[in-house]
């Protein structure tokens, strides 16, 4: 059974940093992409970033480019989201996701089959 578990969320002041972690288990993720998505209250879930394990390529939403960094260890099935220069508009529940189609279409939620429960990130002004 595939399981994705996020951790590292919390409350931080604007301008601060947080690092989210996602530990995946239950299958081999070698040809997968791991994505991060977020959903703010009253808004649709949106793409944040992704990493393709096959070549380590990373992809980011324009809103977080230059502030957020995705990294990870495919051998450990662990992916991180380092978030710097946080803004109040980054407040959301952040979800980790895994999917083979994510390697081709990393920005689409439809490319991901497995999702974590989410972790809350709150940025105060």
């Amino acid at each position: 059974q595939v399981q994705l578990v996020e951790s590292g969320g919390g409350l931080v002041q604007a301008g601060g940093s947080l690092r989210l972690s996602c530990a995946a288990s239950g299958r081999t993720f070698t040809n997968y992409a791991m994505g991060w998505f977020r959903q703010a209250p009253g808004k649709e879930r949106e793409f944040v970033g992704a990493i393709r394990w096959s070549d380590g390529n990373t992809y980011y939403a324009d809103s977080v480019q230059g502030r957020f960094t995705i990294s990870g260890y495919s051998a450990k099935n662990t992916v991180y989201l380092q978030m710097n220069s946080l803004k109040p508009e980054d407040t959301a529940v952040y979800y980790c996701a895994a999917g083979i189609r994510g390697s081709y279409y990393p920005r689409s939620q439809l490319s991901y089959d497995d999702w974590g429960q989410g972790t809350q990130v709150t940025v105060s002004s």
Side-chain angles (χ1 to χ4, degrees):
Q1 181 179 355
V2 175
Q3 194 171 22
L4 302 177
V5 179
E6 304 98 336
S7 61
L11 173 64
V12 65
Q13 287 189 329
S17 299
L18 279 176
R19 188 174 85 154
L20 305 184
S21 301
C22 174
S25 61
R27 72 156 60 98
T28 301
F29 292 90
T30 305
N31 297 318
Y32 279 60
M34 303 290 290
W36 286 98
F37 292 80
R38 67 186 181 186
Q39 186 166 21
K43 295 188 177 181
E44 306 250 333
R45 189 162 57 186
E46 64 176 4
F47 171 75
V48 174
I51 183 168
R52 186 166 60 192
W53 284 141
S54 61
D55 57 12
N57 278 0
T58 54
Y59 308 86
Y60 298 96
D62 290 344
S63 60
V64 307
Q65 181 77 48
R67 299 188 297 122
F68 291 11
T69 303
I70 291 179
S71 61
Y73 299 96
S74 59
K76 296 184 178 180
N77 289 338
T78 302
V79 62
Y80 304 99
L81 180 65
Q82 177 67 43
M83 305 185 294
N84 298 329
S85 302
L86 282 161
K87 305 175 181 180
E89 51 263 44
D90 294 318
T91 295
V93 177
Y94 283 70
Y95 298 91
C96 173
I100 285 183
R101 293 188 302 277
S103 293
Y104 304 97
Y105 307 104
R107 302 174 187 274
S108 172
Q109 297 184 49
L110 299 178
S111 297
Y112 298 88
D113 301 306
D114 301 303
W115 293 80
Q117 299 276 3
T119 184
Q120 176 71 46
V121 171
T122 303
V123 184
S124 63
S125 57

